[in-house]
Amino acid sequence: MPRWYLTLFTSDALERFGFYGLQAILVLYASAPVSRGGLGLPVTDAATLFGAWIGFMFMLSIFGGWLGDRLLGNRRALVVGCLVGVAGYLCLAVPAGWAAAVGLPLVAVGSAVYKPNHQAMINLMFGGSRGREAGISLMYIATQVSALAAPLLVGYLGERVSWSLAFLVAALVMLTTAIQLRLGAGQFGEVGHRPVRSLTAGERTTVARRIGLAVAVVVAAVLALGLAGLLSVSMAIGLVGVFSVILPIVCYIVVYRNPGLGALDRRRLRAFLAVFLGSTLFWMIIAHAASLLNLFARDHVDRLVLGMEIPASWLQAATPLFILLLAPLIAVVLPALGGRNHVPVKLAIGLILVGAGFLIMSLATVLASSGEKVSPLWLVIVYLTHACGEVIVAAVIISAAAEVLPPGFMGRTLGLMWLFAGLGGGLGSGVVRLAEVIPEPLYYLGLGGVAAVCGLAFALGRRPLANGLTAGLHTPAPHASGDAVKEGSR
């Protein structure tokens, strides 16, 4: 690995530690009684909170990508994102409801600034497409070490010791990420040091005025709702759900109409809209692991191992463990899937896999309805399908997004990708509430069936979609992708 790759590789692993730790404990922390340091939310609100939070984070990713493209430069944006995340975790460590209300949005903002700019730096440093997907796949798989360690450490500290201590550990790891990026800045040369298309003086004034106005409106609205006694977790979740639907549509149209794009650019972006929507459904289902599946593990799974009851959050480590174990097989098989139609084919496989996992989950809830606790193997199998689908879908979408629009739009393209993922989180925060009125077996059966049918639709429409995605681009021969993976593995 080049030194720059090792720096980005390590920083992503460290930054993801906090994210996966929060994913493992947020719903448990939110539903825990106030007397035990939790937020004391009803179970339904706690379950929807994670979907709303991740939706909010992904919604902001388009602005995080814009900050890197036009204002800060991708490299400086990475450090800024880490420092904002540190502030967020420190707020969460304060045992007070107001601190959580401030901390969760700050963590979301930090991740939203960090993630699209990190992905932009990877794509910019790789330059051409050769080796890019292999490098992203290797990095994505390797960061699962953090995804494996975070639930075990943060989950144990939160459930058995102190929620505050768990968040302090996440803050320390995030601070280490910022320091490591700052020390390794020289390895990137001039890449990402300045914005690709920097704002003019007039544009900076306009942007500052608009941001100030937006912040003032938000603060005024929050104060007004608070004074009127209308501010609540349910309202906040509802607002995030509404904006998570509106914002992707608006931002997609804004990017699509940008005068810097040509006819072929717009054709590729139109084709990629189908990929965006497929990823929305995919991430909506994956997000259930940290909400309903986590609560199912706490309440309905027999977690006794050698006479000791393991924390519910530990089961969240199953997905990254499977990704790590399956990495060699995936590295060999992944490049050969689909040939020139690989993007729709891989997305189809991912959707069918997560759909099958929810069909299995439907059977598990039938067994749990009798009141007896079920074997953890049911959840382990579901997490296995999630792991296989996730490592296939994530790498191919990130890599493909880098070629949709010209380099000056890379941060915004990746921001759009996470914006549509946020749409999945926002929709999920509303869909989860259906579990209150629909029997759980039917709930999982319905979602699993929808995902599987959409996966089949991508498989059947693979050729026209692939033609749209590659309009005006040189498409490498299928064997080149395999060589790149072998080279990246070495």
Side-chain angles (χ1 to χ4, degrees):
M1 286 187 251
R3 288 184 64 194
W4 64 262
Y5 184 86
L6 187 60
T7 297
L8 291 175
F9 177 97
T10 306
S11 68
D12 200 42
L14 291 171
E15 191 273 340
R16 290 290 87 184
F17 180 90
F19 172 81
Y20 286 114
L22 188 57
Q23 175 178 284
I25 66 172
L26 180 56
V27 68
L28 304 175
Y29 162 67
S31 60
V34 176
S35 59
R36 291 185 51 227
L39 298 181
L41 296 181
V43 170
T44 303
D45 282 346
T48 57
L49 179 62
F50 178 78
W53 174 76
I54 201 169
F56 180 67
M57 179 186 72
F58 288 157
M59 272 196 299
L60 295 175
S61 294
I62 185 70
F63 301 109
W66 179 87
L67 282 174
D69 283 348
R70 303 298 308 278
L71 189 63
L72 299 176
N74 302 121
R75 209 164 72 201
R76 192 179 295 118
L78 291 180
V79 178
V80 170
C82 289
L83 294 178
V84 174
V86 171
Y89 286 119
L90 290 176
C91 285
L92 284 170
V94 177
W98 66 264
V102 175
L104 283 173
L106 282 177
V107 173
V109 170
S111 292
V113 174
Y114 175 89
K115 202 60 184 171
N117 287 289
H118 181 272
Q119 290 160 352
M121 284 296 296
I122 296 171
N123 285 309
L124 288 170
M125 290 300 294
F126 269 115
S129 61
R130 181 175 175 81
R132 181 194 294 141
E133 186 173 332
I136 293 172
S137 299
L138 178 62
M139 187 173 293
Y140 185 82
I141 290 170
T143 55
Q144 300 308 305
V145 175
S146 282
L148 175 61
L152 299 179
L153 179 57
V154 176
Y156 178 82
L157 291 176
E159 290 190 66
R160 299 293 168 82
V161 184
S162 163
W163 301 112
S164 295
L165 182 58
F167 294 128
L168 282 174
V169 168
L172 179 61
V173 173
M174 186 66 79
L175 180 60
T176 304
T177 310
I179 294 171
Q180 186 248 0
L181 282 168
R182 187 67 188 87
L183 294 177
Q187 299 168 10
F188 305 110
E190 289 299 311
V191 176
H193 181 58
R194 293 181 178 85
V196 177
R197 294 191 309 121
S198 184
L199 293 173
T200 64
E203 288 174 329
R204 287 175 183 269
T205 302
T206 302
V207 168
R209 186 185 303 117
R210 290 177 178 176
I211 291 176
L213 179 61
V215 170
V217 169
V218 170
V219 171
V222 170
L223 288 175
L225 290 171
L227 292 173
L230 299 176
L231 195 61
S232 65
V233 173
S234 296
M235 173 172 280
I237 291 171
L239 288 174
V240 169
V242 171
F243 280 108
S244 69
V245 174
I246 295 173
L247 204 57
I249 298 172
V250 172
C251 291
Y252 179 87
I253 292 173
V254 169
V255 173
Y256 183 84
R257 291 182 174 178
N258 192 293
L261 299 181
L264 289 175
D265 297 326
R266 291 191 175 92
R267 181 183 173 187
R268 291 194 300 274
L269 191 56
R270 287 197 301 271
F272 212 77
L273 180 59
V275 179
F276 282 147
L277 293 174
S279 71
T280 293
L281 176 59
F282 179 83
W283 293 115
M284 183 180 78
I285 291 179
I286 289 290
H288 278 71
S291 56
L292 286 186
L293 298 188
N294 211 0
L295 292 172
F296 184 85
R298 186 190 69 182
D299 300 332
H300 300 294
V301 172
D302 181 6
R303 292 180 281 113
L304 284 175
V305 177
L306 300 177
M308 181 188 77
E309 187 177 54
I310 63 172
S313 55
W314 280 19
L315 286 172
Q316 296 282 302
T319 298
L321 178 61
F322 281 129
I323 290 176
L324 289 169
L325 293 175
L326 294 171
L329 176 62
I330 291 171
V332 172
V333 175
L334 189 62
L337 293 176
R340 69 179 302 273
N341 306 319
H342 69 107
V343 174
V345 168
K346 291 171 184 176
L347 187 54
I349 293 171
L351 285 169
I352 291 171
L353 281 169
V354 296
F358 263 35
L359 297 179
I360 293 169
M361 193 64 204
S362 178
L363 294 176
T365 54
V366 170
L367 295 177
S369 62
S370 64
E372 294 186 8
K373 293 194 172 184
V374 302
S375 168
L377 288 177
W378 287 98
L379 273 182
V380 168
I381 294 172
V382 173
Y383 288 144
L384 174 60
T385 64
H386 284 194
C388 294
E390 187 173 339
V391 75
I392 292 171
V393 168
V396 70
I397 292 179
I398 293 170
S399 180
E403 295 186 344
V404 175
L405 298 180
F409 291 84
M410 188 176 295
R412 275 166 289 178
T413 308
L414 293 168
L416 272 178
M417 179 190 72
W418 290 115
L419 197 59
F420 277 87
L423 174 60
L427 292 175
S429 66
V431 170
V432 161
R433 290 190 179 277
L434 294 177
E436 285 187 306
V437 295
I438 298 176
E440 278 194 298
L442 290 179
Y443 177 84
Y444 288 110
L445 182 65
L447 279 180
V450 169
V453 169
C454 288
L456 290 174
F458 273 102
L460 294 174
R462 61 191 181 278
R463 288 192 179 90
L465 181 55
N467 290 336
L469 293 174
T470 57
L473 297 176
H474 170 68
T475 305
H479 69 270
S481 178
D483 292 342
V485 168
K486 293 174 185 175
E487 181 180 293
S489 299
R490 287 197 294 270

